[in-house]
Amino acid sequence: MTDVDDRAPIEPPTERSVGEPGGPRRLRGPWGTPEVWRRGRVLAGVTALLALLLAVPVLVPNGLGRAGSLFETVLPWVGLAVPVSAAAAGLRRSASVGLAVLLLAAAWAGSFGRLYLPSGPDVEPNLTVVTHNVGAANGDPEATVREVLEAAPDLVALQEVTWEANASYDRVLGAELEHSGRWGTVGLWSRYPITDSRSLDLGLGWNRAMRAEVAGPDGGIAVYVVHLASVRVHGTGFDTALRDRGIAALADAVAEEPLERVVVMGDLNGSTDDRAMAPLTSRLAAVRGTGGDGLGLTWPAGFPLVRIDHILVRGVTPTETWSLPRTDSDHLPIAARLRV
């Protein structure tokens, strides 16, 4: 008997296109297809541009309405575009937007991430300072300064001190800090003797700044209490002219200051990220984020959007900074511990 092979003959394979049933399969994920890189290219471009401007904000020109200064004032809020763009990247399955989001997140972290690091210099502080714009319309001055005293300060700098409220501030603060000096609407109260005190002319036409010499723990400290002119946003842009003249005058005073150790405190009506602050920030270090305090936004007190109240130092080591609870003012007080 002859064996019969009843198996079906094997046909040679036919050529099929990729993706056709039975055809070869391309091994790549959904984020590797050209289509996902084409999606959302406009949003990706905008997000990447924000990352570039966040990393190099001087690219925003200042010639038209001080747009650069305004952008730098609200610079931390550019980070809000990260979750918004990330959500859009996920919804649209756009790889290009996802990559741009990573660039923006890296730029934000590079600019502001250090402010959240908890570590500070390994030195023992010997001076605690507080600055607060108490508000000319403050309805409870005594409660305000009692809140300030909770920080156990050695120096307290106040701005917008009215003649009517000065007695209340002096009575409560004077019980703890026996030395004081006041010029116009700014004042300084100190645990240490104030050996010299004078008004500082910032070109405003009235007293909103002072310079005092304090006999601190290890010698003399030049302490400046400052309230720079307000800024306005209107139809022609960001009006900072008067404030910027005050910055220049204060920077000149600091440059000529004979004492090595300098502490500047007050309401500067601007962020230290603003390029207009360069005359000051090139000579003084801003006490910000030391000890992991983060952005430390101070105004408006109900929902802070920007840090315009500052402590800046020279020849002094900051070890910690923090914001105090809200008082009957539209600014939050800030405190810092220093090694002088």
Side-chain angles (χ1 to χ4, degrees):
M1 179 181 284
T2 304
D3 292 331
V4 178
D5 188 355
D6 58 357
R7 292 174 298 177
I10 300 175
E11 299 180 2
T14 59
E15 186 175 340
R16 299 176 186 267
S17 63
V18 174
E20 184 179 326
R25 305 181 68 181
R26 186 172 294 171
L27 298 178
R28 58 184 178 186
W31 296 97
T33 61
E35 183 182 355
V36 299
W37 287 97
R38 288 194 295 267
R39 294 179 191 144
R41 284 181 293 184
V42 173
L43 179 58
V46 171
T47 304
L49 177 62
L50 283 176
L52 176 63
L53 296 180
L54 182 57
V56 194
V58 293
L59 293 177
V60 180
N62 228 4
L64 182 61
R66 309 292 291 175
S69 283
L70 180 58
F71 178 73
E72 289 161 340
T73 298
V74 298
L75 203 57
W77 292 97
V78 176
L80 288 179
V82 172
V84 174
S85 296
L91 289 172
R92 299 206 61 188
R93 297 175 66 82
S94 170
S96 57
V97 176
L99 178 59
V101 168
L102 291 177
L103 292 175
L104 180 58
W108 194 94
S111 297
F112 301 106
R114 59 184 173 78
L115 301 179
Y116 292 88
L117 298 177
S119 60
D122 189 20
V123 296
E124 189 69 26
N126 58 359
L127 191 74
T128 300
V129 301
V130 172
T131 182
H132 187 24
N133 181 329
V134 292
N138 194 307
D140 197 344
E142 294 192 4
T144 293
V145 289
R146 278 196 293 268
E147 191 67 60
V148 164
L149 287 172
E150 287 296 315
D154 300 300
L155 297 176
V156 171
L158 299 184
Q159 304 90 52
E160 290 198 20
V161 177
T162 64
W163 285 109
E164 296 79 8
N166 182 63
S168 298
Y169 294 127
D170 208 33
R171 181 168 54 253
V172 179
L173 287 173
E176 294 286 335
L177 310 171
E178 60 178 305
H179 308 281
S180 65
R182 178 171 176 265
W183 291 90
T185 58
V186 299
L188 177 68
W189 285 260
S190 173
R191 193 176 306 279
Y192 298 97
I194 296 176
T195 58
D196 182 55
S197 174
R198 59 179 171 83
S199 175
L200 184 65
D201 183 10
L202 297 183
L204 298 176
W206 66 97
N207 289 337
R208 284 175 47 147
M210 62 176 286
R211 184 258 185 201
E213 187 170 334
V214 175
D218 292 312
I221 309 165
V223 179
Y224 291 78
V225 183
V226 180
H227 184 190
L228 293 180
S230 300
V231 300
R232 297 288 185 268
V233 181
H234 45 63
T236 58
F238 193 44
D239 184 1
T240 65
L242 193 56
R243 183 206 64 178
D244 293 351
R245 287 200 293 272
I247 291 172
L250 178 59
D252 288 343
V254 169
E256 296 170 3
E257 173 57 55
L259 293 182
E260 178 184 353
R261 298 183 297 175
V262 178
V263 178
V264 174
M265 297 186 282
D267 175 4
L268 302 188
N269 270 307
S271 167
T272 51
D273 295 315
D274 184 345
R275 69 193 69 177
M277 292 285 179
L280 271 180
T281 54
S282 63
R283 294 181 171 93
L284 300 163
V287 178
R288 183 182 182 188
T290 307
D293 185 46
L295 297 173
L297 308 179
T298 63
W299 181 88
F303 188 84
L305 298 173
V306 63
R307 184 184 182 100
I308 62 175
D309 303 273
H310 299 281
I311 300 169
L312 303 100
V313 298
R314 184 184 78 191
V316 171
T317 302
T319 66
E320 184 182 2
T321 182
W322 69 102
S323 299
L324 301 180
R326 184 179 180 181
T327 68
D328 192 23
S329 169
D330 60 341
H331 294 245
L332 292 178
I334 57 171
R337 292 193 176 97
L338 312 172
R339 179 69 190 191
V340 298

